[in-house]
Amino acid sequence: MARPASAVLPTLIIPRMNSTKNYPMACYSPNMITTPGIFRAGGIDKPYLYAFTLFLMQILLVISVTRIVGFLLQPLKLPRYTSEIISGFLLGPSVLGKVPNFSKTMFPLRSFFPLHSFSHLGLIYYIFTMGLDIDLPSIRRSGLRCFWFACACTIPPFAIAAVSGVTLHKMLGEQTNRTAFIIFISVSFSMTAFSVLARAVTELKLVNTEIGRLTLSAAILVDSFAWIGLALAVAISESGGDTISAIFTLISGILFYAGCFAFVRPMMRKISNRALSGKEPVGESEETAVLVGVLVSAFIGDLIGIHAVFGAFTYGLAIPQGPLSASLLEKVNDLVKGILLPLYFVGSGLVMDVASLRNVDSAIYLVALVFVAALLKVLGGVLIAAAYDMQVHDGVSFGLLMNTKGVIELVMLNVGTTRKILGPQSYTILVIMSVVLATLATPLLNSVVKPTRRLVYYKRRTVHWHDPGSELRVVSCVHNPRDVPSLIALINCTFPSKHTPVSVSAVQLIELTGHTPAILLLNNPMSSKAKYGSQFQSQSAVSHAFESYAQLTGGLLIRTSTAISPFMTMHDDIVTEAENRHAALVLLPFHMHLAIDGSLEVASHPAVRNVNKKILELSPCTVALVIDRGFSGISTRGTPPNVTVLFFGGADDRESLALAGRMSNHVGIEISVVRFLPRNSNTSISSLNSEDAEVRERYIDEQCLGEFAECSTLAVFEYREHVVRNTEETVEIIRRVELEGKDLLIVGKEQGLVGSRLTAGMTDWSEFPELGPVGDLLASADFGATSSVLIVQAPQSGGGLADSTIVGIMSDRREDPGRFSSFDPR
């Protein structure tokens, strides 16, 4: 008969190993690792008695609690770090530990070794990925100003902690090494969580601003200083007051750091260069070798006395950013951050006990020092900003960002506890203050740290302006390489030349995920290689395509960049880029691409559609959304494209006409304007000052059509008018025009006061209402269009081409209403 599980519990025995000392040894039964199963005799009555089963239960409990707490705190927009710390606190002795038998059942002492060992393995790989994320060359590019900003946010907190360290050590009654304690507290006060900061800078849209770049570069310097301070504190603590031992530990750490950069970095660079050149992609053998190297470096760091996490961080820092580092991030991050790292937080929570706060005066003193150190960082940022003639707002933003707290601080606090640098009371206070500062930082960052709007009014926010020879500034959005050919074809139709220059800012949009390096990369125009490897291989192809086109085209300036954002805020990158570039036009690819059978299918992420909607809503300039049905192939055909403008009237259609007017600079291009007029519109249009809004709008439309006819001297120009009575006739005319085999149909999103009567009812069954009634019709699979479509929207703010603007442009060109007799309507 099988004995009950309780009868075979491991017992502790004290054997005599030699004549002078006793060594404790825990004996266990191999049958107590996994359960025998619920269907066996005497089965699983108490699963928590079995080691591996208990470990699985702990993992499931930890993941469940952290996800639930994260979900509950989501409306507060707190960082994930905060929710995981709170989860560990809830599972620890301060909350659920008070429940009878909870800690004894779920977290017995015998389970601490496997739990902590497994969580520390995840911690080692997480710290390794932090080293991978840091770009050391960016520090050199930031210059001396970055150094002074880093000093301003490091030296004052470090100094106040160093001065108060002796008093604090005495008040807390710490039994640890005083010198190591002072160094450790000083480092803790001055450090910054780089990984959390990088994501915050990206989400706040500061990454392509001066203050964003300065903050990221300064954080790298501050974190490097913090790791050196941590290694020094650990070395002093481990030496037990032995100066020679501490010196040897520090020398060994320096040699290990130098060895990584002397031997590891060149090897990793060769692997990355081979992958970038396409000769040999990063394979499983290379990735496995690097991941094993993490364990080796952690073992060496622990062996020489500087802690395993420092060895892993140095090893990750030595690996240059490229295809190898990006591939490793993809492989490691999801498992580490999703499962292993929460275990580490719970382990930290199990150590933290509010009951250890017995000395209230010392606790208040330490809390006050933490807040003073945070304020000194802000003050230091303001002073250095003033010294460099920067705005006070930028200095405050810098100081708040440098107060970002995250996992790395908790790691250092745990290292301080395990290495006997911190006592339980100081550890608990510092962990709580870390959570408090992280919680306070989020609303402060959202309310204070905002990218400044650099321009209120855009003189050139539309395609239509008085000087056709002026530079046309375009922002082109790219979601994947399939978008590039149609965008280049459209840019080519705007006829870039020395007399009609075009400046294009091509922005590839990449979703910000948990393992995406949080920066915006401004590509080197002399190189087609992407800097961040496999995550950005498509970005390399996009950059190369645009740069190759620019080299073959005169009068064209290309600037390529990569914006990394979550889909919810991705539109802000384009709106900000359009503002900063004073753009007149934003080109958007439709979220659906042409399939093999001729239909449209979703090729990009479905969320791209919402991004396009937001850009259409918020853009400060004209937006043109392209539905590509083969227009990208006109460059290979060798003949000029056949373009038709469907003109109903209104601001959007006038912008469509202005864009077609820009295309008319091409010799031989065929441009047709098909105008739709209501049957019963006999009202005179000879006066702009008419009180009738429709008459006023028709007058402006006539003026734009007249100007377009005068400018279209090189293109093959055709003008047709169709008088229609209702929506059915409008659809029929559009169908007949589409069947003529046009390469590109250009139409405004909205049809104005006059044209709205001709499209009434078309929106009742809209599939894509963001395209407008006619655009939705041409995109619909039921309509069966084969031509590519360009839907144009004038700026929403200011109404696009305002009446006063039109009058100012055309005041010297007004003619009688009969001026269009030369159009030869057909």
Side-chain angles (χ1 to χ4, degrees):
M1 177 183 290
R3 290 179 297 170
S6 58
V8 291
L9 278 175
T11 58
L12 187 67
I13 61 174
I14 312 293
R16 180 167 297 278
M17 303 297 295
N18 53 47
S19 58
T20 58
K21 294 182 179 180
N22 292 335
Y23 292 87
M25 177 180 295
C27 294
Y28 66 94
S29 169
N31 297 329
M32 295 303 297
I33 298 177
T34 58
T35 65
I38 61 175
F39 299 109
R40 295 187 61 181
I44 185 168
D45 53 343
K46 294 180 179 179
Y48 56 85
L49 297 178
Y50 298 86
F52 186 68
T53 308
L54 175 62
F55 181 64
L56 294 178
M57 292 172 62
Q58 290 172 338
I59 292 178
L60 294 174
L61 176 65
V62 168
I63 295 175
S64 300
V65 172
T66 53
R67 297 294 179 179
I68 292 172
V69 173
F71 175 76
L72 295 176
L73 296 180
Q74 190 174 9
L76 300 178
K77 297 182 179 180
L78 298 178
R80 184 176 175 180
Y81 163 73
T82 303
S83 62
E84 291 178 334
I85 285 288
I86 293 175
S87 301
F89 179 74
L90 292 175
L91 292 172
S94 301
V95 183
L96 290 178
K98 302 293 185 182
V99 178
N101 296 324
F102 175 81
S103 295
K104 186 182 297 185
T105 302
M106 292 305 302
F107 298 101
L109 291 177
R110 59 187 171 84
S111 71
F112 271 39
F113 288 109
L115 181 64
H116 281 278
S117 298
F118 204 65
S119 64
H120 274 74
L121 179 65
L123 175 66
I124 287 171
Y125 277 103
Y126 175 76
I127 298 299
F128 163 70
T129 61
M130 286 190 60
L132 286 178
D133 265 341
I134 293 179
D135 182 20
L136 289 178
S138 65
I139 301 176
R140 296 192 296 267
R141 293 193 297 267
S142 299
L144 191 61
R145 182 167 48 173
C146 165
F147 173 77
W148 289 117
F149 267 106
C151 290
C153 288
T154 303
I155 294 177
F158 189 93
I160 192 173
V163 170
S164 308
V166 176
T167 304
L168 188 62
H169 188 270
K170 184 177 180 180
M171 290 182 65
L172 290 170
E174 298 283 4
Q175 302 299 317
T176 59
N177 185 288
R178 188 172 64 181
T179 304
F181 175 84
I182 294 173
I183 294 174
F184 188 88
I185 288 291
S186 302
V187 168
S188 175
F189 281 12
S190 57
M191 65 169 298
T192 301
F194 174 78
S195 58
V196 179
L197 172 65
R199 190 176 184 93
V201 167
T202 302
E203 292 178 348
L204 288 166
K205 308 302 176 186
L206 293 171
V207 74
N208 58 342
T209 64
E210 182 181 27
I211 195 66
R213 290 189 291 267
L214 276 173
T215 304
L216 289 174
S217 300
I220 295 174
L221 280 175
V222 173
D223 273 10
S224 301
F225 168 78
W227 281 107
I228 294 172
L230 175 66
L232 178 62
V234 171
I236 294 175
S237 177
E238 290 294 310
S239 66
D242 185 357
T243 306
I244 301 299
S245 176
I247 292 175
F248 274 116
T249 300
L250 289 176
I251 293 176
S252 300
I254 294 172
L255 291 176
F256 173 72
Y257 183 89
C260 284
F261 278 83
F263 300 105
V264 175
R265 195 172 184 86
M267 290 189 296
M268 301 303 172
R269 184 177 285 114
K270 288 181 180 178
I271 297 174
S272 295
N273 290 339
R274 286 201 304 267
L276 284 173
S277 62
K279 295 179 180 179
E280 184 179 340
V282 178
E284 182 181 355
S285 58
E286 288 87 354
E287 294 174 353
T288 303
V290 174
L291 294 178
V292 171
V294 177
L295 300 177
V296 174
S297 61
F299 172 75
I300 295 175
D302 199 52
L303 193 65
I304 62 180
I306 59 173
H307 204 277
V309 294
F310 185 81
F313 176 79
T314 304
Y315 182 73
L317 200 66
I319 298 177
Q321 291 178 335
L324 180 60
S325 62
S327 178
L328 289 171
L329 284 170
E330 292 177 356
K331 297 291 191 301
V332 173
N333 257 296
D334 291 334
L335 175 64
V336 169
K337 289 187 177 180
I339 297 179
L340 301 185
L341 205 57
L343 292 179
Y344 185 78
F345 285 106
V346 171
S348 303
L350 295 175
V351 176
M352 184 174 60
D353 189 1
V354 178
S356 64
L357 303 178
R358 297 185 179 89
N359 192 332
V360 179
D361 293 338
S362 60
I364 294 175
Y365 185 67
L366 180 55
V367 169
L369 286 178
V370 172
F371 275 116
V372 170
L375 291 175
L376 286 176
K377 285 188 178 184
V378 177
L379 181 61
V382 171
L383 292 177
I384 298 299
Y388 280 97
D389 295 325
M390 298 171 65
Q391 295 181 0
V392 176
H393 176 272
D394 290 336
V396 174
S397 302
F398 182 89
L400 288 174
L401 288 167
M402 293 300 287
N403 274 302
T404 305
K405 300 298 181 182
V407 181
I408 187 63
E409 183 175 19
L410 182 65
V411 171
M412 289 192 172
L413 292 177
N414 275 283
V415 170
T417 303
T418 56
R419 298 297 185 180
K420 304 301 180 182
I421 301 174
L422 293 178
Q425 185 172 203
S426 54
Y427 170 81
T428 301
I429 295 172
L430 290 175
V431 171
I432 293 174
M433 290 308 301
S434 174
V435 176
V436 170
L437 288 178
T439 304
L440 293 176
T442 300
L444 287 175
L445 289 173
N446 290 330
S447 60
V448 178
V449 186
K450 293 180 180 179
T452 306
R453 298 295 185 184
R454 293 167 177 76
L455 210 59
V456 177
Y457 178 74
Y458 303 87
K459 293 181 179 179
R460 295 180 179 178
R461 61 181 181 183
T462 60
V463 179
H464 193 153
W465 63 69
H466 67 280
D467 185 5
S470 299
E471 180 184 62
L472 177 65
R473 298 185 177 183
V474 180
V475 174
S476 180
C477 306
V478 182
H479 291 284
N480 61 57
R482 288 187 60 180
D483 300 329
V484 175
S486 60
L487 295 173
I488 288 180
L490 283 171
I491 294 169
N492 188 58
C493 284
T494 61
F495 194 58
S497 67
K498 293 181 180 179
H499 301 291
T500 56
V502 177
S503 174
V504 179
S505 176
V507 183
Q508 182 169 7
L509 299 168
I510 295 177
E511 181 188 8
L512 175 66
T513 61
H515 52 75
T516 307
I519 54 177
L520 183 144
L521 307 173
L522 180 62
N523 300 334
N524 182 355
M526 302 302 295
S527 172
S528 62
K529 292 182 179 181
K531 181 180 178 183
Y532 281 86
S534 59
Q535 278 190 334
F536 304 107
Q537 286 177 357
S538 63
Q539 187 252 2
S540 179
V542 169
S543 176
H544 180 71
F546 276 104
E547 290 167 9
S548 299
Y549 170 60
Q551 292 174 1
L552 300 174
T553 308
L556 180 66
L557 175 64
I558 293 286
R559 175 183 180 269
T560 59
S561 58
T562 302
I564 309 169
S565 300
F567 279 118
M568 290 184 62
T569 61
M570 193 174 282
H571 59 276
D572 285 340
D573 291 303
I574 300 304
V575 172
T576 302
E577 183 72 4
E579 291 174 347
N580 294 339
R581 299 287 296 168
H582 302 192
L585 178 66
V586 173
L587 287 178
L588 294 179
F590 194 44
H591 69 282
M592 303 178 75
H593 289 187
L594 189 67
I596 298 177
D597 59 357
S599 63
L600 293 175
E601 63 179 5
V602 178
S604 303
H605 195 285
V608 171
R609 181 183 178 186
N610 291 327
V611 175
N612 288 345
K613 287 181 180 180
K614 285 291 186 180
I615 294 174
L616 286 166
E617 178 184 348
L618 301 173
S619 175
C621 61
T622 298
V623 180
L625 191 148
V626 58
I627 302 174
D628 183 24
R629 291 192 178 100
F631 187 71
S632 55
I634 63 171
S635 58
T636 60
R637 194 175 63 188
T639 58
N642 190 321
V643 179
T644 296
V645 179
L646 302 179
F647 190 89
F648 293 83
D652 293 351
D653 279 2
R654 291 193 289 267
E655 274 297 278
S656 302
L657 200 65
L659 188 57
R662 179 87 187 193
M663 296 179 179
S664 67
N665 292 315
H666 267 292
V667 177
I669 192 172
E670 298 180 17
I671 297 181
S672 302
V673 176
V674 179
R675 187 181 187 189
F676 294 80
L677 291 171
R679 179 174 293 276
N680 54 351
S681 63
N682 299 320
T683 311
S684 172
I685 58 170
S686 59
S687 176
L688 179 63
N689 298 321
S690 172
E691 295 181 0
D692 191 324
E694 284 196 15
V695 174
R696 182 183 177 89
E697 185 174 88
R698 282 195 61 197
Y699 183 85
I700 300 172
D701 293 342
E702 298 282 1
Q703 296 291 334
C704 287
L705 284 165
E707 181 181 305
F708 174 79
E710 291 177 0
C711 296
S712 303
T713 56
L714 299 177
V716 179
F717 175 60
E718 178 188 22
Y719 176 80
R720 287 182 282 177
E721 285 184 357
H722 291 279
V723 180
V724 295
R725 290 177 295 183
N726 49 42
T727 303
E728 288 76 12
E729 291 186 5
T730 300
V731 174
E732 181 60 30
I733 296 299
I734 294 174
R735 188 181 300 278
R736 280 160 38 191
V737 171
E738 206 279 329
L739 290 175
E740 293 175 2
K742 305 296 184 180
D743 294 312
L744 181 68
L745 297 177
I746 305 179
V747 62
K749 177 185 173 183
E750 301 296 337
Q751 279 62 56
L753 295 174
V754 180
S756 59
R757 288 191 283 129
L758 305 179
T759 59
M762 293 176 63
T763 57
D764 293 344
W765 297 278
S766 290
E767 186 178 0
F768 308 108
E770 68 272 16
L771 305 181
V774 179
D776 175 72
L777 176 71
L778 294 170
S780 173
D782 297 334
F783 187 75
T786 57
S787 303
S788 298
V789 185
L790 191 67
I791 296 98
V792 180
Q793 175 190 273
Q796 297 295 290
S797 55
L801 294 174
D803 297 346
S804 58
T805 307
I806 297 294
V807 175
I809 292 173
M810 303 180 182
S811 58
D812 58 340
R813 296 185 181 183
R814 292 187 186 176
E815 301 179 10
D816 295 333
R819 63 182 297 180
F820 297 108
S821 58
S822 60
F823 278 10
D824 186 24
R826 301 177 186 180

